Amino acid sequence: MRTPGSDVELAVGFLLAEGLVHRREDVDRAESCGPPAGPLGIRNLVRVELAPEVTVDAKRLQRNFLTSSSCGLCGKASLDALPLVSHVRLPDGFVVPASAIHDLPSRLRGAQTAFDRTGGLHAAALFDRDGHLLDVYEDVGRHNAVDKLIGAQFLARAVPLSDRLIFVSGRAGYELVQKSLAAGIPMLAAVGAPSSLAVDLARDANMTLVGFVRDRRFNVYSGAQRIRRDRPVLFDNDRRGSDPGRSATSAG
C-alpha cells in the first residue's frame, strides 16, 4: 500500500535500497503502466527495465510481499535477507550546525501540503548542511516516502548524497537507516525514536543518527562529530561520563 503519486521514484528508490541498482546507468527504463483504476484513473504498476549487465540475486529478495505502508523490512524471509549495506563506512566531513537541526521540524511541516489536507501522511525531506529544504515527499508509509525521495535523486543522477541529510516525520527504524546508507547520506534525523537495530547499523556505518528532534531539543545516537555546537549543547557524557555517540541533548 502506498499513497499514489511519484510511483516511478518509489520503485527506483526501493531497488536502490535493496541493492539491485547502484548507478543511474543500471536502469534502462522506468514507467507507470497497467490499466487505469478508480475514478482518478491511477495506474498501479511500475515497470523497471534494468541494464543487461545488472544481475539480480533472487534469493536475497525473497519476501512474502514486495512493499507495504508498514515497516520496510516486513515480509523478509529472514534477517539474512536484509540488504548487504553494513560493510559501508561513510566518510567524515559533512557538518551541520545544531541550530539547523532545531529548525528541521518547522521547515518540513511548512512543506507538507498533503498532510495539511489529510492529517495522516508521513514525510521525508532532503536538506543541505545549512538546513535549507531541497526536496520533500509524502506517503502513508514513512519508508515509502524515503524511497520516493532517494528514487528522485537517483533518477536525477545526484546519488550518492554525501553532502545531504534526511529528516523524517516518524520513527527512525532500521529500514530508514539502511535506505539512507544505500544513497550515501551521512545523517538521518527523525521526529521520533530510533530502534536499537537502527542505532547499531548507524554506528557500524559511521552515520549520524539523531532522534526526538522537537521542542528545540534532540538526541544524538551516533556520529556526533558531524554536529557543530553553534549554541549551548549538553551531551550526556558531559554530566555522566557516557559515550558521546550514544545520546546527546541539545537545548536551544
Side-chain angles (χ1 to χ4, degrees), residues 134-153:
L134 303 176
D135 205 358
V136 61
Y137 283 85
E138 296 178 271
D139 197 280
V140 68
R142 61 184 182 277
H143 67 279
N144 288 344
V146 172
D147 280 340
K148 290 178 178 181
L149 182 65
I150 65 175
Q153 296 297 311

Side-chain angles (χ1 to χ4, degrees), residues 5 13 16 50-51 64 88 103 109 115 131 144 165 193 223 227 236-237 252:
L16 174 64
L50 303 181
N64 295 324
V88 174
D103 292 338
R109 183 66 187 85
F115 184 88
N144 288 344
L165 72 89
I227 300 176
D236 277 1
N237 67 310

Side-chain angles (χ1 to χ4, degrees), residues 6-248:
S6 304
D7 293 334
V8 169
E9 289 81 358
L10 170 64
V12 172
F14 177 76
L15 295 179
L16 174 64
E18 291 291 320
L20 268 73
V21 297
H22 305 279
R23 306 172 304 150
R24 178 61 181 85
E25 291 76 16
D26 291 339
V27 177
D28 273 351
R29 185 178 183 183
E31 61 180 356
S32 295
C33 58
L40 299 179
I42 295 171
R43 299 181 186 273
N44 290 313
L45 296 176
V46 174
R47 180 182 180 87
V48 180
E49 297 179 8
L50 303 181
E53 63 272 16
V54 177
T55 59
V56 177
D57 184 354
K59 291 182 180 179
R60 293 203 61 82
L61 292 177
Q62 184 178 352
R63 288 177 181 242
N64 295 324
F65 47 84
L66 289 180
T67 186
S68 76
S69 62
S70 59
C71 167
L73 303 181
C74 294
K76 284 291 189 182
S78 70
L79 288 177
D80 292 337
L82 297 180
L84 295 173
V85 296
S86 59
H87 66 281
V88 174
R89 290 283 297 177
L90 295 169
D92 291 329
F94 179 77
V95 178
V96 176
S99 58
I101 297 176
H102 287 309
D103 292 338
L104 295 179
S106 61
R107 293 183 178 179
L108 172 61
R109 183 66 187 85
Q112 290 181 262
T113 56
F115 184 88
D116 287 339
R117 298 193 303 270
T118 66
L121 295 185
H122 285 288
L126 194 69
F127 291 86
D128 66 12
R129 67 178 66 236
D130 296 317
H132 297 137
L133 178 64
L134 303 176
D135 205 358
V136 61
Y137 283 85
E138 296 178 271
D139 197 280
V140 68
R142 61 184 182 277
H143 67 279
N144 288 344
V146 172
D147 280 340
K148 290 178 178 181
L149 182 65
I150 65 175
Q153 296 297 311
F154 180 87
L155 291 171
R157 301 181 184 273
V159 172
L161 298 164
S162 57
D163 58 348
R164 300 288 185 259
L165 72 89
I166 278 188
F167 182 59
V168 295
S169 60
R171 294 180 293 108
Y174 174 96
E175 77 282 2
L176 299 191
V177 174
Q178 167 232 312
K179 291 175 186 296
S180 300
L181 182 56
I185 297 170
M187 182 180 294
L188 170 64
V191 172
S195 67
S196 60
L197 198 57
V199 174
D200 289 343
L201 178 58
R203 290 177 182 169
D204 288 344
N206 193 35
M207 176 185 288
T208 300
L209 180 60
V210 183
F212 294 108
V213 184
R214 57 196 185 204
D215 301 324
R216 310 301 294 176
R217 301 176 67 86
F218 58 81
N219 291 348
V220 181
Y221 297 89
S222 66
Q225 74 276 7
R226 292 195 182 90
I227 300 176
R228 187 174 74 248
R229 305 187 187 194
D230 60 338
R231 59 180 61 185
V233 179
L234 177 62
F235 284 85
D236 277 1
N237 67 310
D238 292 337
R239 56 189 175 190
R240 292 201 299 266
S242 62
D243 178 5
R246 181 172 296 274
S247 180

